[in-house]
Amino acid sequence: MFTDYLLTIGLVLGLFSIPAMLSAYADRRTPRTSMAAFILSVAILALAYARHPGGYAVADVPNVVFTVIADIIK
């Protein structure tokens, strides 16, 4: 279950960092913070994939995310 949380955190962090990177490029600024957040999200995703027995399939990701969200709401 811990790896499910890592996967979800990595996905959310990565999804939030992409618009920040695009905004920095559009404003002609260096995207230091958003690039660091993106690299951190990739590292978290790699850790979740490596620690989960058998890894994750692409088809499993939506179920994992919804399971984590449901666990947080409960």
Side-chain angles (χ1 to χ4, degrees), residues 42-72:
V42 170
I44 291 172
L45 289 172
L47 179 66
Y49 182 78
R51 293 215 177 200
H52 190 267
Y56 285 104
V58 176
D60 295 337
V61 174
N63 291 334
V64 169
V65 172
F66 287 129
T67 303
V68 169
I69 292 170
D71 191 39
I72 291 171

Side-chain angles (χ1 to χ4, degrees), residues 17-51:
S17 67
I18 291 173
M21 281 190 288
L22 293 175
S23 173
Y25 282 126
D27 292 340
R28 298 180 189 255
R29 294 180 284 124
T30 54
R32 289 186 188 109
T33 306
S34 57
M35 189 62 78
F38 184 75
I39 291 170
L40 180 65
S41 72
V42 170
I44 291 172
L45 289 172
L47 179 66
Y49 182 78
R51 293 215 177 200

